[in-house]
Amino acid sequence: MFINKDWNEYELLDAAAGERLERWGKYILIRPDPQIIWNSERRHPLWKKADGVYRRSKSGGGSWVVSKMPEHWDIGYRDLTFRLRPMGFKHTGLFPEQAVNWDWFSAIIRRSVQENPGYKPKVLNLFAYTGGATAAAAKVGAAVCHVDASKGMVNAAKENLRLSGLENAPVRYIVDDCRKFVEREIRRGNHYDGVIMDPPSYGRGPGGEVWKLEECAYDLLQLVVQILTEKPLFFLINSYTTGLSPASMGYMLMDLMPHAASGTLTTGELGLPVTQSGLILPAGASARWERSGGNEQ
């Protein structure tokens, strides 16, 4: 299991009866989580003092039924800063469990930059959301292409990079359907040293294109592996779809990557430590491939 224990401004305080009790900076939130199927007692005292509570509706969707939060506030992770907002469908604009992946590929990029100081590794971030991974990669010296179908999310990513002092970093922001963008990159002959994919379980592109991860992941991977360099540094794919296991994602990746044998694959669940119980809450899954040996270009 991939677990990050280095957050100072985020904490999963407790998990019970289908909900998370979380600290985001100085604000306490309660949000639903389908992984929390146990009905243990809510012992933590902050269950009764939440600044924000999101509840699902029986008719679908949901809303913030308690909202004593500001319109936005900032939290930090290491030397990065992110702006949070209470959004629809329970989100805040950040997935803290992904920090363990940021640290993983940041170490690979940093090592490559140290060994090849005249070269900036090119990283493609697909389904890039509000840019947590983009900021992490840019901070250690990568040139990043950030692709997301939502203009609002891309604008939020630009804001996060500015807050992190990265407004002048070599980042290209693209508002587009990820598959169509990759198809164009193949035609243009562009290649990347690293790929980050964090696809949603379900979504729609700007032209109404329907995305279902189980149906689309393999076909998209077939395209994406074509834009890797001859000696890629890494490939990361994440999933929040319960029916798609880490091993399944790893199998697809190793089946399709022409460079698979030149590196190492690791797969596993992402986890968040729960302060109250000392246990680990599963929070998604990742398959990671890293090239073995040096990072010479």
Side-chain angles (χ1 to χ4, degrees):
M1 185 172 261
F2 304 130
I3 304 167
N4 183 283
K5 298 181 179 179
D6 296 326
W7 276 101
N8 293 319
E9 296 191 54
Y10 171 83
E11 183 180 5
L12 180 53
L13 299 167
D14 201 2
E19 293 182 319
R20 296 183 183 189
L21 177 69
E22 303 169 295
R23 178 178 62 83
W24 296 82
K26 64 179 182 179
Y27 297 100
I28 304 301
L29 306 187
I30 296 174
R31 301 188 300 152
D33 189 321
Q35 296 278 3
I36 303 171
I37 60 174
W38 48 91
N39 291 312
S40 52
E41 183 181 350
R42 298 185 177 193
R43 297 185 181 89
H44 201 290
L46 290 178
W47 281 109
K48 298 179 181 180
K49 298 180 180 181
D51 300 293
V53 179
Y54 187 97
R55 290 277 155 76
R56 294 197 185 281
S57 168
K58 292 181 180 179
S59 59
S63 62
W64 293 94
V65 297
V66 175
S67 182
K68 294 180 282 186
M69 305 165 285
E71 180 181 345
H72 61 75
W73 70 99
D74 300 342
I75 68 170
Y77 178 74
R78 301 194 188 280
D79 49 1
L80 302 174
T81 301
F82 301 104
R83 179 147 292 173
L84 306 180
R85 290 181 172 86
M87 300 180 178
F89 199 63
K90 77 178 182 180
H91 295 308
T92 63
L94 194 66
F95 291 87
E97 64 272 11
Q98 289 296 334
V100 69
N101 282 329
W102 303 342
D103 290 345
W104 172 74
F105 64 68
S106 291
I108 297 170
I109 295 168
R110 188 181 296 110
R111 187 168 63 246
S112 177
V113 170
Q114 290 171 348
E115 295 176 1
N116 305 277
Y119 181 76
K120 282 188 173 292
K122 293 177 62 179
V123 173
L124 175 62
N125 188 9
L126 295 172
F127 308 95
Y129 196 50
T130 59
T134 296
K139 196 73 174 184
V140 292
V144 185
C145 183
H146 174 110
V147 187
D148 196 279
S150 168
K151 184 177 180 180
M153 293 300 102
V154 171
N155 287 337
K158 292 178 180 178
E159 184 175 47
N160 283 331
L161 267 77
R162 177 185 60 79
L163 291 169
S164 297
L166 296 165
E167 61 269 30
N168 296 319
V171 177
R172 185 163 60 119
Y173 300 95
I174 305 292
V175 180
D176 201 357
D177 174 77
C178 288
R179 181 187 179 98
K180 290 182 177 179
F181 174 78
V182 171
E183 289 172 339
R184 287 201 305 275
E185 291 292 84
I186 292 171
R187 292 194 295 270
R188 288 186 287 235
N190 289 334
H191 295 89
Y192 296 87
D193 302 294
V195 171
I196 302 161
M197 288 178 59
D198 197 357
S201 298
Y202 178 85
R204 290 186 180 273
E209 304 89 346
V210 176
W211 165 269
K212 292 183 179 180
L213 183 56
E214 301 95 322
E215 299 175 6
C216 301
Y218 189 83
D219 289 343
L220 181 58
L221 276 170
Q222 281 185 309
L223 295 173
V224 176
V225 296
Q226 297 179 48
I227 56 175
L228 292 168
T229 55
E230 290 186 4
K231 293 182 177 181
L233 296 174
F234 70 90
F235 201 117
L236 168 66
I237 180 169
N238 299 299
S239 169
Y240 290 95
T241 301
T242 54
L244 189 59
S245 71
S248 295
M249 292 191 296
Y251 193 103
M252 288 190 293
L253 193 54
M254 296 301 282
D255 183 50
L256 290 170
M257 276 188 68
H259 326 81
S262 64
T264 302
L265 175 75
T266 55
T267 64
E269 286 187 291
L270 299 172
L272 289 170
V274 182
T275 302
Q276 180 67 34
S277 65
L279 301 175
I280 303 296
L281 177 70
S286 293
R288 301 168 167 180
W289 179 90
E290 177 182 0
R291 192 173 87 223
S292 303
N295 291 316
E296 73 281 352
Q297 299 297 326

